[in-house]
PDB file of all heavy atoms in Angstrom:
ATOM      1  N   ALA A   1      13.739   1.173  18.241  1.00 72.00           N
ATOM      2  CA  ALA A   1      13.646   1.991  17.120  1.00 72.00           C
ATOM      3  C   ALA A   1      13.148   3.393  17.373  1.00 72.00           C
ATOM      4  O   ALA A   1      12.382   3.598  18.381  1.00 72.00           O
ATOM      5  CB  ALA A   1      12.682   1.380  16.084  1.00 72.00           C
ATOM      6  N   PRO A   2      13.626   4.472  16.734  1.00 80.00           N
ATOM      7  CA  PRO A   2      13.122   5.726  16.961  1.00 80.00           C
ATOM      8  C   PRO A   2      11.564   5.901  16.623  1.00 80.00           C
ATOM      9  O   PRO A   2      11.101   5.040  15.846  1.00 80.00           O
ATOM     10  CB  PRO A   2      13.964   6.609  16.032  1.00 80.00           C
ATOM     11  CG  PRO A   2      14.513   5.734  15.044  1.00 80.00           C
ATOM     12  CD  PRO A   2      14.614   4.349  15.604  1.00 80.00           C
ATOM     13  N   PRO A   3      10.924   6.756  17.309  1.00 85.00           N
ATOM     14  CA  PRO A   3       9.462   6.842  16.944  1.00 85.00           C
ATOM     15  C   PRO A   3       9.314   7.186  15.480  1.00 85.00           C
ATOM     16  O   PRO A   3      10.087   8.010  14.965  1.00 85.00           O
ATOM     17  CB  PRO A   3       9.050   7.945  17.994  1.00 85.00           C
ATOM     18  CG  PRO A   3      10.205   8.624  18.463  1.00 85.00           C
ATOM     19  CD  PRO A   3      11.415   7.665  18.229  1.00 85.00           C
ATOM     20  N   PRO A   4       8.251   6.695  14.901  1.00 85.00           N
ATOM     21  CA  PRO A   4       7.960   7.047  13.496  1.00 85.00           C
ATOM     22  C   PRO A   4       7.625   8.442  13.243  1.00 85.00           C
ATOM     23  O   PRO A   4       6.940   9.072  14.143  1.00 85.00           O
ATOM     24  CB  PRO A   4       6.835   6.130  13.167  1.00 85.00           C
ATOM     25  CG  PRO A   4       6.135   5.766  14.437  1.00 85.00           C
ATOM     26  CD  PRO A   4       7.174   5.895  15.524  1.00 85.00           C
ATOM     27  N   THR A   5       7.992   9.026  12.146  1.00 91.00           N
ATOM     28  CA  THR A   5       7.740  10.392  11.804  1.00 91.00           C
ATOM     29  C   THR A   5       6.376  10.326  10.963  1.00 91.00           C
ATOM     30  O   THR A   5       6.016   9.328  10.417  1.00 91.00           O
ATOM     31  CB  THR A   5       8.793  10.972  10.931  1.00 91.00           C
ATOM     32  OG1 THR A   5       8.866  10.302   9.678  1.00 91.00           O
ATOM     33  CG2 THR A   5      10.082  11.039  11.679  1.00 91.00           C
ATOM     34  N   LEU A   6       5.750  11.511  10.813  1.00 92.00           N
ATOM     35  CA  LEU A   6       4.554  11.642  10.099  1.00 92.00           C
ATOM     36  C   LEU A   6       4.863  11.348   8.631  1.00 92.00           C
ATOM     37  O   LEU A   6       4.053  10.664   7.999  1.00 92.00           O
ATOM     38  CB  LEU A   6       3.892  13.050  10.238  1.00 92.00           C
ATOM     39  CG  LEU A   6       2.528  13.231   9.739  1.00 92.00           C
ATOM     40  CD1 LEU A   6       1.562  12.291  10.347  1.00 92.00           C
ATOM     41  CD2 LEU A   6       2.079  14.541   9.967  1.00 92.00           C
ATOM     42  N   GLU A   7       5.976  11.882   8.159  1.00 92.00           N
ATOM     43  CA  GLU A   7       6.299  11.617   6.778  1.00 92.00           C
ATOM     44  C   GLU A   7       6.530  10.061   6.444  1.00 92.00           C
ATOM     45  O   GLU A   7       6.177   9.564   5.471  1.00 92.00           O
ATOM     46  CB  GLU A   7       7.573  12.430   6.399  1.00 92.00           C
ATOM     47  CG  GLU A   7       7.372  13.973   6.311  1.00 92.00           C
ATOM     48  CD  GLU A   7       7.435  14.500   7.820  1.00 92.00           C
ATOM     49  OE1 GLU A   7       7.927  13.887   8.674  1.00 92.00           O
ATOM     50  OE2 GLU A   7       6.971  15.656   7.982  1.00 92.00           O
ATOM     51  N   GLY A   8       7.250   9.439   7.408  1.00 90.00           N
ATOM     52  CA  GLY A   8       7.513   8.019   7.218  1.00 90.00           C
ATOM     53  C   GLY A   8       6.198   7.219   7.236  1.00 90.00           C
ATOM     54  O   GLY A   8       6.114   6.289   6.419  1.00 90.00           O
ATOM     55  N   LEU A   9       5.291   7.546   8.070  1.00 91.00           N
ATOM     56  CA  LEU A   9       3.984   6.876   8.062  1.00 91.00           C
ATOM     57  C   LEU A   9       3.208   7.056   6.836  1.00 91.00           C
ATOM     58  O   LEU A   9       2.601   6.120   6.364  1.00 91.00           O
ATOM     59  CB  LEU A   9       3.196   7.257   9.312  1.00 91.00           C
ATOM     60  CG  LEU A   9       3.773   6.805  10.761  1.00 91.00           C
ATOM     61  CD1 LEU A   9       2.976   7.509  11.840  1.00 91.00           C
ATOM     62  CD2 LEU A   9       3.760   5.340  10.814  1.00 91.00           C
ATOM     63  N   ALA A  10       3.341   8.307   6.330  1.00 93.00           N
ATOM     64  CA  ALA A  10       2.635   8.603   5.105  1.00 93.00           C
ATOM     65  C   ALA A  10       3.205   7.814   3.884  1.00 93.00           C
ATOM     66  O   ALA A  10       2.443   7.243   3.067  1.00 93.00           O
ATOM     67  CB  ALA A  10       2.735  10.062   4.745  1.00 93.00           C
ATOM     68  N   GLU A  11       4.490   7.715   3.830  1.00 93.00           N
ATOM     69  CA  GLU A  11       5.180   6.867   2.809  1.00 93.00           C
ATOM     70  C   GLU A  11       4.695   5.394   2.904  1.00 93.00           C
ATOM     71  O   GLU A  11       4.474   4.694   1.875  1.00 93.00           O
ATOM     72  CB  GLU A  11       6.744   6.984   2.863  1.00 93.00           C
ATOM     73  CG  GLU A  11       7.174   8.240   2.458  1.00 93.00           C
ATOM     74  CD  GLU A  11       6.826   8.684   1.018  1.00 93.00           C
ATOM     75  OE1 GLU A  11       6.989   7.789   0.092  1.00 93.00           O
ATOM     76  OE2 GLU A  11       6.404   9.763   0.725  1.00 93.00           O
ATOM     77  N   LYS A  12       4.708   4.768   4.192  1.00 93.00           N
ATOM     78  CA  LYS A  12       4.263   3.469   4.341  1.00 93.00           C
ATOM     79  C   LYS A  12       2.840   3.287   3.874  1.00 93.00           C
ATOM     80  O   LYS A  12       2.506   2.218   3.216  1.00 93.00           O
ATOM     81  CB  LYS A  12       4.473   3.052   5.756  1.00 93.00           C
ATOM     82  CG  LYS A  12       5.812   2.798   6.176  1.00 93.00           C
ATOM     83  CD  LYS A  12       5.878   2.372   7.586  1.00 93.00           C
ATOM     84  CE  LYS A  12       7.312   2.002   8.041  1.00 93.00           C
ATOM     85  NZ  LYS A  12       7.462   1.531   9.425  1.00 93.00           N
ATOM     86  N   LEU A  13       1.960   4.190   4.199  1.00 93.00           N
ATOM     87  CA  LEU A  13       0.594   4.180   3.818  1.00 93.00           C
ATOM     88  C   LEU A  13       0.402   4.227   2.284  1.00 93.00           C
ATOM     89  O   LEU A  13      -0.331   3.350   1.673  1.00 93.00           O
ATOM     90  CB  LEU A  13      -0.156   5.247   4.411  1.00 93.00           C
ATOM     91  CG  LEU A  13      -1.741   5.276   4.185  1.00 93.00           C
ATOM     92  CD1 LEU A  13      -2.309   3.907   4.747  1.00 93.00           C
ATOM     93  CD2 LEU A  13      -2.425   6.406   4.913  1.00 93.00           C
ATOM     94  N   LYS A  14       1.224   5.013   1.590  1.00 95.00           N
ATOM     95  CA  LYS A  14       1.156   5.111   0.145  1.00 95.00           C
ATOM     96  C   LYS A  14       1.618   3.817  -0.400  1.00 95.00           C
ATOM     97  O   LYS A  14       1.086   3.351  -1.466  1.00 95.00           O
ATOM     98  CB  LYS A  14       2.003   6.289  -0.346  1.00 95.00           C
ATOM     99  CG  LYS A  14       1.439   7.603  -0.036  1.00 95.00           C
ATOM    100  CD  LYS A  14       2.409   8.800  -0.630  1.00 95.00           C
ATOM    101  CE  LYS A  14       1.893  10.107  -0.114  1.00 95.00           C
ATOM    102  NZ  LYS A  14       2.931  11.188  -0.473  1.00 95.00           N
ATOM    103  N   ALA A  15       2.607   3.264   0.086  1.00 94.00           N
ATOM    104  CA  ALA A  15       3.276   2.058  -0.479  1.00 94.00           C
ATOM    105  C   ALA A  15       2.206   0.900  -0.255  1.00 94.00           C
ATOM    106  O   ALA A  15       1.968   0.071  -1.163  1.00 94.00           O
ATOM    107  CB  ALA A  15       4.478   1.644   0.186  1.00 94.00           C
ATOM    108  N   TRP A  16       1.555   0.862   0.921  1.00 94.00           N
ATOM    109  CA  TRP A  16       0.573  -0.149   1.188  1.00 94.00           C
ATOM    110  C   TRP A  16      -0.563   0.000   0.153  1.00 94.00           C
ATOM    111  O   TRP A  16      -1.095  -1.036  -0.336  1.00 94.00           O
ATOM    112  CB  TRP A  16       0.073  -0.069   2.619  1.00 94.00           C
ATOM    113  CG  TRP A  16      -1.089  -0.964   2.859  1.00 94.00           C
ATOM    114  CD1 TRP A  16      -0.995  -2.257   3.226  1.00 94.00           C
ATOM    115  CD2 TRP A  16      -2.450  -0.640   2.883  1.00 94.00           C
ATOM    116  NE1 TRP A  16      -2.295  -2.793   3.418  1.00 94.00           N
ATOM    117  CE2 TRP A  16      -3.220  -1.798   3.200  1.00 94.00           C
ATOM    118  CE3 TRP A  16      -3.205   0.610   2.616  1.00 94.00           C
ATOM    119  CZ2 TRP A  16      -4.553  -1.830   3.248  1.00 94.00           C
ATOM    120  CZ3 TRP A  16      -4.529   0.507   2.708  1.00 94.00           C
ATOM    121  CH2 TRP A  16      -5.283  -0.599   2.992  1.00 94.00           C
ATOM    122  N   ALA A  17      -1.036   1.185  -0.007  1.00 95.00           N
ATOM    123  CA  ALA A  17      -2.186   1.468  -0.952  1.00 95.00           C
ATOM    124  C   ALA A  17      -1.876   1.046  -2.369  1.00 95.00           C
ATOM    125  O   ALA A  17      -2.686   0.473  -3.103  1.00 95.00           O
ATOM    126  CB  ALA A  17      -2.588   2.918  -0.839  1.00 95.00           C
ATOM    127  N   ALA A  18      -0.614   1.322  -2.782  1.00 94.00           N
ATOM    128  CA  ALA A  18      -0.209   0.951  -4.063  1.00 94.00           C
ATOM    129  C   ALA A  18      -0.212  -0.582  -4.269  1.00 94.00           C
ATOM    130  O   ALA A  18      -0.610  -1.109  -5.289  1.00 94.00           O
ATOM    131  CB  ALA A  18       1.138   1.581  -4.423  1.00 94.00           C
ATOM    132  N   ALA A  19       0.376  -1.186  -3.289  1.00 93.00           N
ATOM    133  CA  ALA A  19       0.366  -2.707  -3.359  1.00 93.00           C
ATOM    134  C   ALA A  19      -0.985  -3.273  -3.282  1.00 93.00           C
ATOM    135  O   ALA A  19      -1.299  -4.292  -4.094  1.00 93.00           O
ATOM    136  CB  ALA A  19       1.240  -3.221  -2.118  1.00 93.00           C
ATOM    137  N   ASP A  20      -1.924  -2.690  -2.544  1.00 93.00           N
ATOM    138  CA  ASP A  20      -3.234  -3.209  -2.490  1.00 93.00           C
ATOM    139  C   ASP A  20      -3.970  -3.041  -3.793  1.00 93.00           C
ATOM    140  O   ASP A  20      -4.759  -3.818  -4.286  1.00 93.00           O
ATOM    141  CB  ASP A  20      -4.042  -2.476  -1.293  1.00 93.00           C
ATOM    142  CG  ASP A  20      -5.351  -3.090  -1.104  1.00 93.00           C
ATOM    143  OD1 ASP A  20      -5.407  -4.347  -0.877  1.00 93.00           O
ATOM    144  OD2 ASP A  20      -6.371  -2.387  -1.223  1.00 93.00           O
ATOM    145  N   ALA A  21      -3.753  -1.840  -4.373  1.00 92.00           N
ATOM    146  CA  ALA A  21      -4.354  -1.558  -5.721  1.00 92.00           C
ATOM    147  C   ALA A  21      -3.904  -2.569  -6.792  1.00 92.00           C
ATOM    148  O   ALA A  21      -4.646  -2.972  -7.625  1.00 92.00           O
ATOM    149  CB  ALA A  21      -4.040  -0.082  -6.150  1.00 92.00           C
ATOM    150  N   LYS A  22      -2.611  -2.773  -6.707  1.00 91.00           N
ATOM    151  CA  LYS A  22      -2.010  -3.838  -7.686  1.00 91.00           C
ATOM    152  C   LYS A  22      -2.675  -5.176  -7.461  1.00 91.00           C
ATOM    153  O   LYS A  22      -2.988  -5.909  -8.379  1.00 91.00           O
ATOM    154  CB  LYS A  22      -0.478  -3.805  -7.542  1.00 91.00           C
ATOM    155  CG  LYS A  22       0.156  -4.747  -8.501  1.00 91.00           C
ATOM    156  CD  LYS A  22       1.624  -4.607  -8.374  1.00 91.00           C
ATOM    157  CE  LYS A  22       2.341  -5.540  -9.325  1.00 91.00           C
ATOM    158  NZ  LYS A  22       3.851  -5.555  -9.205  1.00 91.00           N
ATOM    159  N   ARG A  23      -2.744  -5.647  -6.216  1.00 90.00           N
ATOM    160  CA  ARG A  23      -3.340  -6.842  -5.877  1.00 90.00           C
ATOM    161  C   ARG A  23      -4.703  -7.038  -6.439  1.00 90.00           C
ATOM    162  O   ARG A  23      -5.127  -7.980  -6.957  1.00 90.00           O
ATOM    163  CB  ARG A  23      -3.277  -7.090  -4.368  1.00 90.00           C
ATOM    164  CG  ARG A  23      -3.792  -8.467  -3.947  1.00 90.00           C
ATOM    165  CD  ARG A  23      -3.884  -8.621  -2.421  1.00 90.00           C
ATOM    166  NE  ARG A  23      -4.721  -7.599  -1.835  1.00 90.00           N
ATOM    167  CZ  ARG A  23      -6.071  -7.732  -1.757  1.00 90.00           C
ATOM    168  NH1 ARG A  23      -6.695  -8.727  -2.243  1.00 90.00           N
ATOM    169  NH2 ARG A  23      -6.818  -6.779  -1.156  1.00 90.00           N
ATOM    170  N   ARG A  24      -5.519  -5.984  -6.166  1.00 89.00           N
ATOM    171  CA  ARG A  24      -6.881  -5.910  -6.567  1.00 89.00           C
ATOM    172  C   ARG A  24      -7.016  -5.968  -8.048  1.00 89.00           C
ATOM    173  O   ARG A  24      -7.843  -6.730  -8.724  1.00 89.00           O
ATOM    174  CB  ARG A  24      -7.613  -4.722  -6.013  1.00 89.00           C
ATOM    175  CG  ARG A  24      -7.954  -4.735  -4.615  1.00 89.00           C
ATOM    176  CD  ARG A  24      -8.457  -3.424  -4.149  1.00 89.00           C
ATOM    177  NE  ARG A  24      -8.697  -3.387  -2.731  1.00 89.00           N
ATOM    178  CZ  ARG A  24      -9.828  -3.636  -2.088  1.00 89.00           C
ATOM    179  NH1 ARG A  24     -10.953  -3.922  -2.790  1.00 89.00           N
ATOM    180  NH2 ARG A  24      -9.984  -3.595  -0.724  1.00 89.00           N
ATOM    181  N   LYS A  25      -6.141  -5.302  -8.781  1.00 86.00           N
ATOM    182  CA  LYS A  25      -6.140  -5.303 -10.207  1.00 86.00           C
ATOM    183  C   LYS A  25      -5.844  -6.685 -10.784  1.00 86.00           C
ATOM    184  O   LYS A  25      -6.526  -7.160 -11.717  1.00 86.00           O
ATOM    185  CB  LYS A  25      -5.153  -4.261 -10.753  1.00 86.00           C
ATOM    186  CG  LYS A  25      -5.184  -4.103 -12.266  1.00 86.00           C
ATOM    187  CD  LYS A  25      -4.201  -3.061 -12.574  1.00 86.00           C
ATOM    188  CE  LYS A  25      -4.186  -2.787 -14.119  1.00 86.00           C
ATOM    189  NZ  LYS A  25      -3.183  -1.771 -14.484  1.00 86.00           N
ATOM    190  N   ASN A  26      -4.860  -7.342 -10.190  1.00 84.00           N
ATOM    191  CA  ASN A  26      -4.476  -8.713 -10.668  1.00 84.00           C
ATOM    192  C   ASN A  26      -5.618  -9.674 -10.304  1.00 84.00           C
ATOM    193  O   ASN A  26      -5.886 -10.548 -11.150  1.00 84.00           O
ATOM    194  CB  ASN A  26      -3.174  -9.133  -9.952  1.00 84.00           C
ATOM    195  CG  ASN A  26      -1.960  -8.393 -10.444  1.00 84.00           C
ATOM    196  OD1 ASN A  26      -2.019  -7.889 -11.659  1.00 84.00           O
ATOM    197  ND2 ASN A  26      -0.943  -8.381  -9.705  1.00 84.00           N
ATOM    198  N   ARG A  27      -6.228  -9.450  -9.200  1.00 79.00           N
ATOM    199  CA  ARG A  27      -7.385 -10.354  -8.870  1.00 79.00           C
ATOM    200  C   ARG A  27      -8.524 -10.243  -9.826  1.00 79.00           C
ATOM    201  O   ARG A  27      -9.113 -11.217 -10.193  1.00 79.00           O
ATOM    202  CB  ARG A  27      -7.880 -10.073  -7.453  1.00 79.00           C
ATOM    203  CG  ARG A  27      -8.774 -10.962  -6.954  1.00 79.00           C
ATOM    204  CD  ARG A  27      -9.132 -10.700  -5.475  1.00 79.00           C
ATOM    205  NE  ARG A  27     -10.111 -11.646  -5.016  1.00 79.00           N
ATOM    206  CZ  ARG A  27     -10.829 -11.480  -3.934  1.00 79.00           C
ATOM    207  NH1 ARG A  27     -10.724 -10.404  -3.287  1.00 79.00           N
ATOM    208  NH2 ARG A  27     -11.734 -12.373  -3.640  1.00 79.00           N
ATOM    209  N   THR A  28      -8.841  -9.010 -10.236  1.00 73.00           N
ATOM    210  CA  THR A  28      -9.914  -8.804 -11.188  1.00 73.00           C
ATOM    211  C   THR A  28      -9.659  -9.418 -12.483  1.00 73.00           C
ATOM    212  O   THR A  28     -10.464  -9.978 -13.095  1.00 73.00           O
ATOM    213  CB  THR A  28     -10.084  -7.207 -11.425  1.00 73.00           C
ATOM    214  OG1 THR A  28     -10.352  -6.594 -10.059  1.00 73.00           O
ATOM    215  CG2 THR A  28     -11.249  -6.891 -12.276  1.00 73.00           C
ATOM    216  N   ARG A  29      -8.344  -9.358 -12.914  1.00 69.00           N
ATOM    217  CA  ARG A  29      -7.930 -10.010 -14.220  1.00 69.00           C
ATOM    218  C   ARG A  29      -8.197 -11.491 -14.178  1.00 69.00           C
ATOM    219  O   ARG A  29      -8.631 -12.122 -15.120  1.00 69.00           O
ATOM    220  CB  ARG A  29      -6.466  -9.680 -14.582  1.00 69.00           C
ATOM    221  CG  ARG A  29      -6.212  -8.323 -15.024  1.00 69.00           C
ATOM    222  CD  ARG A  29      -4.784  -8.211 -15.374  1.00 69.00           C
ATOM    223  NE  ARG A  29      -4.468  -6.783 -15.699  1.00 69.00           N
ATOM    224  CZ  ARG A  29      -3.138  -6.386 -15.823  1.00 69.00           C
ATOM    225  NH1 ARG A  29      -2.134  -7.138 -15.592  1.00 69.00           N
ATOM    226  NH2 ARG A  29      -2.972  -5.157 -16.124  1.00 69.00           N
ATOM    227  N   ARG A  30      -7.767 -12.053 -13.019  1.00 66.00           N
ATOM    228  CA  ARG A  30      -7.947 -13.557 -12.947  1.00 66.00           C
ATOM    229  C   ARG A  30      -9.459 -13.965 -12.923  1.00 66.00           C
ATOM    230  O   ARG A  30      -9.803 -14.878 -13.509  1.00 66.00           O
ATOM    231  CB  ARG A  30      -7.338 -13.989 -11.581  1.00 66.00           C
ATOM    232  CG  ARG A  30      -5.797 -14.157 -11.752  1.00 66.00           C
ATOM    233  CD  ARG A  30      -5.237 -14.759 -10.586  1.00 66.00           C
ATOM    234  NE  ARG A  30      -4.785 -13.609  -9.740  1.00 66.00           N
ATOM    235  CZ  ARG A  30      -4.819 -13.619  -8.413  1.00 66.00           C
ATOM    236  NH1 ARG A  30      -5.097 -14.643  -7.779  1.00 66.00           N
ATOM    237  NH2 ARG A  30      -4.501 -12.446  -7.767  1.00 66.00           N
TER     238      ARG A  30
END
């Protein structure tokens, strides 16, 4: 695979943070 770009890594980090925030929110509701 080609080496990752800074922009690509930033997008992955944002997606991970959003998924983690959603998981935490659902956990708090339960």
Side-chain angles (χ1 to χ4, degrees):
T5 63
L6 189 57
E7 293 80 17
L9 291 174
E11 288 300 316
K12 285 183 180 181
L13 185 59
K14 287 177 188 175
W16 174 82
D20 187 56
K22 184 177 179 181
R23 180 188 62 81
R24 287 175 184 264
K25 185 177 181 181
N26 288 339
R27 185 175 182 203
T28 303
R29 285 184 186 164
R30 281 184 270 149

